[in-house]
Structures are given as structure tokens and as C-alpha cells.
Amino acid sequence: MKSLQNSAFYFLVFLLFIQCKEVTKKETTLASSKNEIQYAKGLEIYKYSGFSILKITNPWPNAKESFTYILQEKNGIIPDSIKQFPLIQIPLKSIVVTSTTHIPALELLGVENTLVGFPNTNYISSVKTRKLIDAGKVREVGVNENLNTEVLIDMKPDVIVSFGLNNSNPTLDNLQKSGLKVMLNGDWTEQSPLGKAEWIKFFGALYGLDSKADAIFEKIEKEYKTTLELAKKATTKPTVLSGAMYQEQWYVPQGESWAALFLKDAKSQYLWANTKGNGSLSVPFEVILEKAQKADFWIAPGDFSSLKQMSDSNPHYNQFASFKNKKVYSYSLNKGAKGGIVYFELASSRPDLVLKDLIKIVHPELVPNYKLFFFQKLE
């Protein structure tokens, strides 16, 4: 009888052991979750109780690698199945970013005070962040391709948000070997206007401000779509030339590029809209002249700030009707205190303003009370 009682006891212990293992297995198995990102092609965010998974699926053009980061909230339990990925404690208290396109996201979320370092702060145009720089709260950390490891180790930021042009990033590798947390950001690879803007959710996730980031993006998305509908009322489709000469070649945005998509959405006839690719196209001057000499508008002619500066640089510019008619518009006049161009910093976060600018240029009758924000007419 005693032997049977012992056997029954050990059998119950065995059952409890199996059940405990099953509970543990369930606790460490990752449940399915939907991607919170709608437009961006290179970003995925999956939310769970106590943590999020953030994936960078296109860190640079034609990348064959992707990067996964685990964002852990306080007391969040991370399943065993994802513990091999870099762990970031959120919300962040300090950050180093390396592109001016990251600055607007921090400001829109109200966390610009956590910025402690940036490479070449003269590029930053924002008045709000420039005050932090002038107050000595944001330190110089070198240049993106050669960040100052010693300075960054001394600063010990919670995270360094950088970007890679390809799979060779020795500086970033050295920073990680030094114990620093590095995240790659691929916002610059996005081509759709709303795709770029949606990267505010990347920073929202880092600060536990997902809801705020969602609300900000939804407002920008609504403004963009409303403006898009307004553009459909246009009764004409003016022709547009873009780019300028550089070392005997003219560089124009390719037809699938971010800049070209804006011109399409603004209901203009961009003369290289049918070209494939999302970078720049090198075209001989003779081809440009033949195709675009009579173009109605010339938008984004490099970094020129006046028609005289353009003419002095290349007298051939005088042959274009858009130049003769003073219908040349540039983003280079709107600059920050140290010369940084506002368009390069803010445009990707505010595509609604870019689209409104372009509609004001090519279809002014549709937005009679709107004042140009990024672009200005060259005189």
C-alpha cells in the first residue's frame, strides 16, 4: 500500500512538472502580432505586452540584410525565442542621431531635450534644437562615416541612431564592440512621401510614445490626402524641368524617386516621369535642352539662390523658357542660422507642406491663400 501511495505521489509530481513546463513554454513563445506600419517599406513594428519588436528591413538600397531590435519596457518579459536580438530599454533618456531628418521627429514628439550628440551640428536648421546646441547640451560627435568613438563612450547615450550606405560600417561595428547601443535607421531609402513621414513611428517606439507618433502621422497623412484631392481639380498639367548641370552632365530625379512622385501628385507633367529608378539620372545637356527648353517650370535647380548665380555658373541656362520667364523655384533660400537647408531637414517629415508648395507653384488658383514654405521663386 505504501508503495502504491509513493507511486501516486511521484506521478502527481511528474504531472505538475509537465504542466509547469507547458506554462513556461507558452510564456516564452512569441504570439502573432500585426505590423503597425502602413506606408514605409523598410520599417516594421510589432507591439506586445511589455515590449515591441522593431525591424529595419531595408537599411540601404538593395540591402540583403535586415536588422531586428527588441524594445523592452520596464519589467517587460522577453521571450526566449527573441533574446538573441539587441535589447533596447525604453523609454530612452538620451540619444545621438546622425541625420538632420531625425531632428523633426524628436521635436514633433517633444523629446528634443534627450538629444545629446550630433555629427556636424551646423547642418541642423531647427531654431528649437539650435538653442540646445548653443547652450552646450548637444555635443559634436564627428561625421557619420567616422564618428568619434572616445566622445561617444564618454557620453554613454542610451542609443546611437545612425544609417548605413551599404553593409560595410566599420565605425558602427567599433561602437558596438565598445558596448554602445547602435540602431540603423533607413528612412532615407523610402520613396513614397507618406512612407518617409511614417518613420516618426520609429522614434515614437523608442520613447514609448507610439500613440502620440500615430496621432501626429495621421494628421500629416490626412493633410496630404486632402491636398491630393485638391490637386485633382487642376484643369491643366504644366511641364516641369528639374535638376542642374554638374561636371558636364545634367542630373534629374528618376521617375520613381521621392521628388518625382511629389511632382506627379501635384498634377504636373514632369518630363522624366517615365524613367525607371529612384535615384538621379545623368543626362547630356543637349538632350535636356531638346526636351525641356520650353518647359513651363523649373523646380529644384540644385542649390542656386538667384537667377544671376545660375547664369554665372552656366550661361546655357538662359536658353530655357522657364529661366527667361522667371519661373524657377528653389528650396535653397530657406536656411537655418548656420546655413543648413530647411528642406533637407524637414521635408521628409512634412510631405503635406511639400505638396502644397508644388501645387502653389504649378496651380496657384487652387490654393490662393497659401504661402510657400520650402520653395521660393528665384529672382
Side-chain angles (χ1 to χ4, degrees):
M1 179 65 71
K2 190 172 183 181
S3 177
L4 287 173
Q5 289 176 339
N6 287 339
S7 296
F9 172 77
Y10 288 122
F11 180 69
L12 286 171
V13 170
F14 175 73
L15 286 176
L16 287 170
F17 176 73
I18 293 297
Q19 288 174 346
C20 286
K21 286 202 73 174
E22 287 179 350
V23 170
T24 303
K25 186 176 181 180
K26 288 178 182 177
E27 287 176 349
T28 58
T29 299
L30 195 62
S32 61
S33 176
K34 73 179 183 71
N35 180 17
E36 300 289 329
I37 303 302
Q38 181 179 357
Y39 297 94
K41 301 298 184 184
L43 174 65
E44 297 176 10
I45 298 176
Y46 302 91
K47 296 179 184 177
Y48 296 90
S49 176
F51 69 96
S52 296
I53 298 176
L54 191 153
K55 293 184 178 182
I56 310 299
T57 58
N58 192 37
W60 50 78
N62 303 314
K64 295 180 181 179
E65 303 172 51
S66 63
F67 296 84
T68 298
Y69 306 97
I70 310 303
L71 311 183
Q72 184 182 29
E73 300 169 24
K74 186 177 181 180
N75 299 323
I77 299 173
I78 308 302
D80 295 337
S81 59
I82 57 172
K83 284 185 176 178
Q84 73 271 28
F85 299 116
L87 188 68
I88 310 293
Q89 301 290 336
I90 62 167
L92 300 183
K93 293 184 175 66
S94 62
I95 193 171
V96 169
V97 299
T98 55
S99 170
T100 57
T101 60
H102 303 157
I103 302 298
L106 298 180
E107 293 188 354
L108 287 168
L109 291 167
V111 295
E112 67 276 2
N113 288 329
T114 65
L115 180 66
V116 295
F118 188 87
N120 198 337
T121 55
N122 284 344
Y123 285 129
I124 295 177
S125 302
S126 165
V127 173
K128 190 181 290 187
T129 302
R130 288 231 59 87
K131 287 181 179 179
L132 296 174
I133 296 168
D134 295 340
K137 295 180 180 180
V138 181
R139 295 175 63 179
E140 288 277 359
V141 294
V143 295
N144 191 60
E145 297 80 12
N146 190 23
L147 297 174
N148 192 318
T149 304
E150 292 182 3
V151 170
L152 289 167
I153 290 174
D154 180 59
M155 292 169 64
K156 295 180 182 177
D158 289 344
V159 162
I160 300 166
V161 176
S162 189
F163 59 89
L165 301 179
N166 50 49
N167 62 357
S168 177
N169 298 288
T171 299
L172 302 183
D173 293 340
N174 288 335
L175 290 171
Q176 291 183 98
K177 289 176 183 177
S178 301
L180 296 170
K181 304 270 189 181
V182 178
M183 297 182 72
L184 286 178
N185 179 297
D187 62 356
W188 66 283
T189 68
E190 298 290 340
Q191 295 307 319
S192 80
L194 290 176
K196 275 188 186 289
E198 196 172 20
W199 277 78
I200 190 173
K201 295 179 183 179
F202 170 96
F203 289 99
L206 293 181
Y207 288 90
L209 296 173
D210 304 85
S211 296
K212 187 173 184 178
D214 291 346
I216 292 168
F217 176 72
E218 284 172 10
K219 184 177 180 180
I220 293 169
E221 178 191 23
K222 182 179 179 181
E223 284 294 315
Y224 193 91
K225 288 184 173 181
T226 300
T227 307
L228 201 58
E229 287 300 311
L230 183 64
K232 292 179 181 179
K233 297 180 180 180
T235 56
T236 61
K237 209 168 185 180
T239 51
V240 173
L241 164 67
S242 189
M245 290 284 289
Y246 179 74
Q247 294 182 351
E248 306 305 319
Q249 289 288 306
W250 195 298
Y251 289 87
V252 298
Q254 290 179 308
E256 297 169 321
S257 67
W258 184 68
L261 291 176
F262 273 117
L263 293 171
K264 177 183 177 182
D265 284 352
K267 297 303 175 185
S268 69
Q269 184 182 343
Y270 173 50
L271 294 173
W272 276 265
N274 293 329
T275 58
K276 300 297 182 182
N278 50 37
S280 293
L281 185 67
S282 173
V283 183
F285 173 78
E286 293 76 17
V287 175
I288 295 286
L289 185 64
E290 180 182 358
K291 191 169 186 175
Q293 187 173 14
K294 295 181 180 179
D296 297 311
F297 295 92
W298 187 346
I299 296 175
D303 294 340
F304 295 111
S305 56
S306 72
L307 295 176
K308 183 179 184 305
Q309 188 183 28
M310 288 181 67
S311 183
D312 290 345
S313 171
N314 191 328
H316 292 303
Y317 291 152
N318 294 288
Q319 299 181 54
F320 292 89
S322 53
F323 187 94
K324 293 176 183 177
N325 297 330
K326 295 185 177 181
K327 290 187 176 181
V328 183
Y329 290 81
S330 174
Y331 49 64
S332 64
L333 277 72
N334 191 357
K335 296 181 179 179
K338 296 291 184 177
I341 296 175
V342 174
Y343 181 83
F344 293 154
E345 180 171 311
L346 185 58
S348 61
S349 292
R350 293 301 307 271
D352 54 321
L353 295 179
V354 178
L355 184 58
K356 285 179 184 178
D357 270 15
L358 294 175
I359 290 175
K360 179 67 175 180
I361 292 169
V362 299
H363 300 295
E365 72 282 358
L366 297 180
V367 284
N369 299 319
Y370 177 75
K371 184 179 179 181
L372 290 173
F373 184 86
F374 291 112
F375 289 88
Q376 301 295 330
K377 187 176 184 180
L378 294 189
E379 302 293 345

